[in-house]
Amino acid sequence: MDNLKNKKSGIFGFLVPYLLMAVAIIAFIWLVFFRSSGVTEKVSQNEIVNVLSTEQIKEVTSTQKETVTVIEGSYIDSETGKTVYFTCTFETNNQALTDAVYDELMTRSDDGGTTLYFDGKWTSVNAFETNWFETWGPTILIVGGSAILFIFLFSKMSSSVNSSNSKALEFNKSRARREDTSKIRFDDVAGCDEEKAEMVEIVQYLKEPKKFSKFGAKLPKGVLLVGPPGTGKTLLAKAVAGEAGVPFYSISGSDFVEMFVGVGAGRVRDMFKRAKQTAPCLVFIDEIDAVGRQRGAGLGGGNDEREQTLNQLLVEMDGFSDNSGIIVIAATNREDVLDPALLRAGRFDRQITVSLPDRQGRAAIFKVHARNKKIDPNIDFNNLARRTVGFSGADIENILNEAAILAVRANKEMVTLTEIDEAIDRRIGGPAKTSRALNETERRAIAYHEAGHAIIGLKLKHSDKVQKITIVPRGRTGGHVLMSPDEDRFLLTKKELLARIVGYLGGRSSEEIFFNDISTGAQNDISIATRLARLMVTEYGMSTLGPIQYESDSENVFLGRDYTSTQKNFSTQVAYEIDTEVRKIIDESHALAKKIIEENREQVIMIAERLLEKETINAEEIVELFEPKVEKDAANENKGEGKV
């Protein structure tokens, strides 16, 4: 209600100056046009006394000069109702006329209906009381309205200047967004049970600080959450604030950096100042690598804005008192470029790695994001978790959201496995290109290409399990084979890496065998296979060159590394040997892929023809496709064992 009153009063105060200006303009128009719109006539000496005695006089001015007397005034014509302005000039020495005119003027003065002026001076009090508005009103309105308008415009200009100055002063204000009551709880965070257990201590400290101080324990001033994008680092920080019930300040590292040196440092000071006023509280800095990169490295100078901001952040974190109740939580996926001073004890002295969820974690994430959605109760989230190896929590949330949108698009009552399956494919390769026109030759080439990938996964030991085969174009691919391991793996062996390389080369090998030709469809497969082979030689030590690291991950100069640093520590002779080993791995894998396809030629044809018929087949259909042959082979083996 108060806001409504303030809004109305603000609108009224804004309109008052313009209303006064409008009144002044109307008064001016009336004074200039309407008041002077009557007929002007010259009255002779013989008629002036008759006019003064008989007409309805409004005002009269008498001006006596050296030789003449001028009588000016106005009266209302009884017939037309218009104002008539008259003037009369006669000689001052005409005593008889002068006395007669003076007598009439005195009579008018006694009546109180006429305004009289003698030599420019007013003499009739009664006339002023009656007709003051007609005489002075327009002038007062014009002058007053103009004065008020001038004051209004001057005040607006002053307020504009003050506003600009205040905004300039607020340039150093913190842009941290405050949330007093976070609705996120630990139940809303799944797939990171160990990380949540670490963060429970922070919640207990914020709720019961005496429990820790009794034993002399101090909670870390800063907690750094490290992990790939989409693993739930920000969500975990919000859950801590929600469980503790304390204010939560969130800001991105890029919000500190500006083109003016010192602005970021000022915002850091203001952020901690505000946080101290609402302690205990949490301060969450997302993407801290934007301001926390190593100082004195890269192309920037030592006094640039980013480094000044980092210096102030270091001082604030190590400067505020232990019992202030401010806990800083930061998140990044590039902890390798952070300044060492930021990670030392007393600042971010606890690092929690938030990894990609395992199979059980993915199933739990599916259940969390399925709470507010109408999903078919027969869907097994554990099976979905097996098919989404390497997916983050954000990916899973996006999958279920896309599935819900697809269900609405298809006018279904609930989300089924069909929509979730399509959403997974969309997340991997993008929407299906149903409008892309492929001729029959291209369709057959793609079908046999994908069948070559699939047969390697089905027949080669140490390969990932084939989950789905499709020749529906998505993104830049004409089809793909979804393969995933039976269990989540943390380490990969040399045999498993070689099996992956053979699998990537299976499509190219299938084209060579069945079409005696090759296409550009294997470009991405060759790129990935070559990269894996080079990593095996130069970084993993899985070749005859021995366990020596010849190369390391190339770092971008703008990520806090020296511009002149080199990542290749070998001679030209070793470079030749590295290329030879990479070629050897690729050639042997290519030969093995062709051998497996030749040995299982009939099954490759069977898969390809089924793909041409249905375009997509899943793991269950692949089992059904080979089940008769498996049973037949088993029967033959049993017969042979009986003869022996």
Side-chain angles (χ1 to χ4, degrees):
M1 191 68 182
D2 294 337
N3 294 334
L4 183 60
K5 290 182 179 179
N6 294 333
K7 185 176 181 181
K8 289 182 177 179
S9 62
I11 295 174
F12 181 75
F14 176 77
L15 293 178
V16 165
Y18 295 99
L19 292 175
L20 291 176
M21 182 178 66
V23 172
I25 294 175
I26 294 173
F28 178 78
I29 295 174
W30 176 80
L31 182 64
V32 174
F33 294 99
F34 292 94
R35 189 179 179 188
S36 61
S37 61
V39 180
T40 303
E41 62 179 16
K42 289 185 178 182
V43 181
S44 64
Q45 297 180 11
N46 299 328
E47 296 176 349
I48 184 59
V49 177
N50 185 37
V51 169
L52 293 176
S53 62
T54 60
E55 299 294 345
Q56 185 179 352
I57 302 299
K58 294 179 61 179
E59 62 180 358
V60 179
T61 301
S62 173
T63 305
Q64 186 174 359
K65 300 181 180 180
E66 294 181 358
T67 59
V68 295
T69 299
V70 180
I71 304 297
E72 295 177 331
S74 62
Y75 65 88
I76 298 176
D77 191 348
S78 58
E79 295 181 359
T80 62
K82 294 183 178 181
T83 301
V84 179
Y85 294 89
F86 66 91
T87 179
C88 178
T89 304
F90 57 89
E91 295 179 357
T92 305
N93 57 8
N94 190 346
Q95 193 63 39
L97 181 58
T98 301
D99 293 341
V101 171
Y102 183 77
D103 292 340
E104 290 297 332
L105 291 177
M106 290 299 97
T107 303
R108 290 292 181 181
S109 177
D110 295 338
D111 293 341
T114 305
T115 303
L116 302 180
Y117 297 91
F118 289 99
D119 293 332
K121 296 181 180 180
W122 167 77
T123 60
S124 176
V125 178
N126 295 333
F128 175 78
E129 291 176 350
T130 306
N131 301 317
W132 70 271
F133 183 79
E134 295 183 3
T135 305
W136 297 97
T139 304
I140 294 173
L141 289 176
I142 293 173
V143 176
S146 301
I148 294 176
L149 179 62
F150 175 77
I151 295 173
F152 173 73
L153 294 177
F154 182 77
S155 63
K156 291 293 288 184
M157 293 175 61
S158 300
S159 63
S160 178
V161 173
N162 294 334
S163 177
S164 301
N165 293 334
S166 63
K167 289 182 179 179
L169 294 175
E170 292 178 358
F171 201 69
N172 282 356
K173 295 294 183 181
S174 172
R175 296 185 178 181
R177 293 164 293 277
R178 174 180 172 180
E179 296 182 18
D180 292 329
T181 56
S182 176
K183 298 181 180 179
I184 306 299
R185 298 292 185 269
F186 280 144
D187 293 338
D188 301 320
V189 184
C192 51
D193 296 336
E194 295 80 6
E195 293 80 357
K196 286 195 295 185
E198 292 287 334
M199 304 299 282
V200 166
E201 292 183 358
I202 299 177
V203 176
Q204 293 178 351
Y205 175 79
L206 292 172
K207 287 184 175 181
E208 301 176 309
K210 295 182 179 180
K211 181 179 179 181
F212 291 83
S213 61
K214 182 173 61 175
F215 291 90
K218 298 179 181 179
L219 205 67
K221 293 182 179 180
V223 178
L224 182 64
L225 301 178
V226 180
T231 52
K233 299 183 291 295
T234 305
L235 190 66
L236 194 59
K238 287 185 177 182
V240 174
E243 292 287 345
V246 297
F248 178 76
Y249 293 90
S250 62
I251 191 171
S252 174
S254 60
D255 289 335
F256 294 113
V257 181
E258 291 285 351
M259 64 180 295
F260 303 107
V261 176
V263 173
R267 290 178 178 175
V268 171
R269 288 191 295 268
D270 184 68
M271 180 182 68
F272 280 94
K273 179 181 178 181
R274 292 171 54 190
K276 291 177 183 179
Q277 295 173 354
T278 58
C281 63
L282 288 174
V283 175
F284 176 69
I285 305 176
D286 199 7
E287 304 298 341
I288 194 174
D289 53 275
V291 294
R293 297 173 188 169
Q294 294 182 14
R295 291 168 292 179
L299 299 180
N303 292 320
D304 63 359
E305 166 64 5
R306 179 184 56 79
E307 293 195 4
Q308 295 296 325
T309 306
L310 174 59
N311 292 336
Q312 186 62 41
L313 181 61
L314 295 175
V315 172
E316 291 290 341
M317 289 193 66
D318 198 27
F320 59 82
S321 57
D322 295 335
N323 58 354
S324 61
I326 301 175
I327 298 177
V328 183
I329 302 177
T332 182
N333 51 10
R334 291 302 310 272
E335 76 281 3
D336 57 318
V337 301
L338 294 180
D339 194 277
L342 198 63
L343 304 178
R344 74 160 176 82
R347 293 190 177 117
F348 287 108
D349 43 11
R350 174 178 293 188
Q351 296 186 29
I352 299 177
T353 301
V354 186
S355 306
L356 290 172
D358 55 11
R359 188 176 65 185
Q360 295 180 352
R362 291 192 298 274
I365 294 174
F366 269 111
K367 294 177 182 178
V368 168
H369 293 296
R371 291 175 182 173
N372 59 343
K373 295 178 176 62
K374 297 180 63 176
I375 296 182
D376 186 357
N378 297 324
I379 292 178
D380 189 356
F381 292 118
N382 292 320
N383 290 335
L384 293 177
R386 291 189 179 94
R387 296 177 52 188
T388 52
V389 177
F391 281 50
S392 65
D395 293 331
I396 295 174
E397 180 183 7
N398 179 263
I399 287 172
L400 289 182
N401 184 66
E402 285 289 336
I405 294 175
L406 293 173
V408 173
R409 186 183 302 176
N411 295 323
K412 291 188 175 182
E413 295 182 356
M414 64 180 62
V415 179
T416 63
L417 184 61
T418 303
E419 285 76 38
I420 297 178
D421 186 67
E422 173 64 19
I424 294 175
D425 290 340
R426 281 171 169 259
R427 189 69 189 90
I428 296 174
K433 303 289 185 179
T434 56
S435 60
R436 179 179 295 177
L438 298 176
N439 56 44
E440 188 62 26
T441 302
E442 289 179 331
R443 291 185 74 251
R444 291 186 64 84
I446 294 174
Y448 278 88
H449 180 101
E450 302 302 335
H453 286 305
I455 202 65
I456 300 298
L458 293 171
K459 298 298 181 179
L460 182 61
K461 191 177 180 181
H462 304 294
S463 291
D464 294 337
K465 182 180 179 181
V466 178
Q467 300 286 351
K468 184 178 181 180
I469 314 171
T470 179
I471 60 172
V472 177
R474 294 180 182 274
R476 298 180 181 179
T477 64
H480 70 272
V481 178
L482 178 60
M483 303 173 66
S484 61
D486 292 333
E487 298 179 354
D488 292 337
R489 301 295 304 275
F490 184 74
L491 298 175
L492 291 175
T493 64
K494 180 180 179 180
K495 293 181 179 180
E496 290 171 342
L497 289 174
L498 290 174
R500 289 192 176 187
I501 295 175
V502 174
Y504 282 120
L505 297 176
R508 168 70 172 263
S509 303
S510 180
E511 293 180 15
E512 295 176 3
I513 293 174
F514 290 97
F515 298 97
N516 197 25
D517 197 1
I518 54 178
S519 68
T520 60
Q523 176 185 1
N524 188 57
D525 299 331
I526 295 174
S527 175
I528 298 176
T530 304
R531 182 166 59 87
L532 283 177
R534 191 168 189 87
L535 288 173
M536 292 176 63
V537 176
T538 60
E539 294 190 31
Y540 302 151
M542 297 179 178
S543 68
T544 57
L545 295 180
I548 301 175
Q549 186 181 35
Y550 295 100
E551 295 178 357
S552 60
D553 292 337
S554 60
E555 299 292 348
N556 196 310
V557 62
F558 296 103
L559 295 180
R561 298 305 185 195
D562 290 334
Y563 184 76
T564 57
S565 63
T566 177
Q567 304 297 331
K568 295 182 179 181
N569 302 314
F570 48 82
S571 63
T572 56
Q573 177 63 29
V574 175
Y576 172 77
E577 295 177 4
I578 290 174
D579 293 339
T580 302
E581 287 294 321
V582 172
R583 181 180 295 275
K584 178 181 177 182
I585 293 174
I586 296 296
D587 290 342
E588 292 178 354
S589 300
H590 187 200
L592 180 58
K594 293 178 68 174
K595 178 182 177 182
I596 294 174
I597 293 174
E598 287 285 5
E599 294 176 352
N600 300 274
R601 188 183 187 95
E602 295 182 0
Q603 296 181 5
V604 174
I605 296 175
M606 190 182 305
I607 295 173
E609 294 300 325
R610 181 62 65 90
L611 285 173
L612 290 172
E613 177 185 355
K614 299 187 62 177
E615 291 189 339
T616 301
I617 54 178
N618 53 33
E620 293 76 10
E621 292 175 327
I622 294 174
V623 173
E624 295 177 358
L625 189 63
F626 295 120
E627 187 175 2
K629 181 174 179 55
V630 172
E631 292 179 352
K632 183 177 180 180
D633 293 342
N636 292 335
E637 291 178 2
N638 292 333
K639 290 180 181 179
E641 291 176 358
K643 291 181 180 180
V644 176

